[in-house]
Amino acid sequence: MSDLFPDLESTQPPVVITGLHKSFGDNEVLKGIDLTVTQGEVVCVIGPSGSGKSTLLRCVNLLEQPTKGSIKLLGAEMTDPDVELNQVRAHVGMVFQSFNLFPNMTALGNCIIGQRQVLKRSKAEAIEIAKKNLAMVGLSDRMDYVPAKLSGGQQQRVAIARALSMDPKVMLFDEPTAALDPELVGDVLAVMRDLAHAGMTMMVVTHEMSFARDVSDRTIFMDGGVIVEEGASQELITAPKERRTQIFLKRVL
Ligand code: ADP
Ligand code: MG
């Protein structure tokens, strides 16, 4: 852990969300969310479209400003106007449905730029770390390709390697496989599974129920801006207690 967050590992869970509300105009999208993610925990967030999953994830690193409530991320109170948001965000990897790579840079270039600009690493060190992470996602032979020459699954794996190159303490995934052709989904999920097994703290919004069930420690079911049910993933997905969870899972499984 860097000196930025000296207390984190000893005292505080990486993500502590308390009483989170978020409205867009008079549309209240999050209606009081309490959620703590502990060190090394993998939490999946499932629920119908429009239930507020993306908004929740975006509030975690303050890409959306909460209307009310507290977000403690890596020990920093994100709603405190004095917090250097970018300093905290530098330690949080985010992977979206759309890969958001720089189109004019190679896979390697995409994995280097943040390390150089934000972490001020030397060129040699940045290249070494980028190569290590591209190897980890199975793309050693595609380092010199620009995104347009890669499949969607490969682009998403570059996006993950890019995030990992920043040495994140937490990874946030928002439906990372939703835009992929079905045959490409498995490779991306395999990388995420490896990351989970390596002990990364992860929040994953996903419709991949087998990933949630088999890889994540805990699953949260959201509907209408609240957490309807949460529990150990295996249990929640195979034997949900709440009627709304049962109906949702019947539809998607
Ligand atoms: P999910 O990810 O579960 O599908 P979202 O968090 O994307 O749900 O959206 C929840 C609700 O919030 C939707 O009704 C959506 O229209 C609304 N919403 C999300 N982002 C914005 C925004 N930037 N401005 C206005 N409304 C938004
Ligand atoms: Mg969403």
Side-chain angles (χ1 to χ4, degrees):
M1 190 93 268
S2 76
D3 338 326
L4 268 180
F5 312 107
D7 322 335
L8 176 64
E9 263 167 348
S10 52
T11 60
Q12 303 198 40
V15 183
V16 183
I17 300 166
T18 316
L20 171 64
H21 291 251
K22 173 64 183 177
S23 298
F24 295 104
D26 50 17
N27 181 14
E28 191 176 35
V29 170
L30 299 178
K31 302 174 180 167
I33 302 283
D34 296 293
L35 175 62
T36 294
V37 182
T38 60
Q39 185 71 43
E41 193 180 21
V42 178
V43 173
C44 277
V45 182
I46 64 171
S49 183
S51 57
K53 306 179 300 294
S54 294
T55 303
L56 170 62
L57 211 64
R58 291 167 59 78
C59 280
V60 170
N61 57 6
L62 231 76
L63 292 177
E64 295 291 355
Q65 174 80 43
T67 310
K68 205 168 88 183
S70 153
I71 308 275
K72 277 208 157 191
L73 179 57
L74 300 173
E77 176 53 61
M78 297 296 278
T79 60
D80 178 346
D82 293 334
V83 160
E84 293 282 351
L85 290 179
N86 287 334
Q87 228 171 63
V88 184
R89 287 179 185 142
H91 298 263
V92 178
M94 186 139 190
V95 174
F96 302 90
Q97 180 174 328
S98 54
F99 325 119
N100 300 346
L101 297 172
F102 294 110
N104 57 335
M105 285 183 197
T106 63
L108 189 67
N110 269 281
C111 293
I112 287 173
I113 183 167
Q115 299 188 64
R116 297 278 287 147
Q117 292 189 348
V118 180
L119 304 181
K120 311 291 180 203
R121 283 184 180 143
S122 73
K123 194 169 175 183
E125 189 187 10
I127 290 173
E128 190 188 320
I129 291 169
K131 284 183 172 173
K132 181 192 78 183
N133 285 304
L134 284 165
M136 188 268 190
V137 302
L139 291 175
S140 290
D141 58 345
R142 293 288 184 276
M143 292 194 300
D144 299 327
Y145 286 52
V146 293
K149 299 283 180 198
L150 298 170
S151 73
Q154 290 169 334
Q155 289 183 55
Q156 192 60 299
R157 285 184 282 147
V158 173
I160 294 171
R162 175 178 61 177
L164 292 178
S165 295
M166 302 297 283
D167 289 339
K169 309 301 175 208
V170 177
M171 288 284 290
L172 308 175
F173 292 89
D174 192 357
E175 299 200 33
T177 60
L180 300 178
D181 292 334
E183 73 273 20
L184 303 177
V185 167
D187 289 340
V188 173
L189 293 180
V191 167
M192 293 168 62
R193 186 193 57 216
D194 290 348
L195 207 52
H197 289 162
M200 179 63 75
T201 305
M202 296 164 59
M203 280 182 75
V204 183
V205 176
T206 188
H207 287 292
E208 297 290 335
M209 294 304 138
S210 53
F211 177 87
R213 185 193 60 214
D214 299 338
V215 179
S216 70
D217 301 298
R218 191 150 54 103
T219 294
I220 309 291
F221 172 68
M222 281 181 71
D223 195 9
V226 297
I227 294 176
V228 172
E229 182 170 358
E230 68 172 295
S233 297
Q234 198 66 251
E235 205 174 311
L236 183 129
I237 289 171
T238 55
K241 294 192 178 69
E242 298 291 331
R243 178 139 178 79
R244 272 195 279 176
T245 321
Q246 291 165 357
I247 291 169
F248 173 77
L249 285 169
K250 215 169 249 161
R251 244 183 245 141
V252 298
L253 279 175

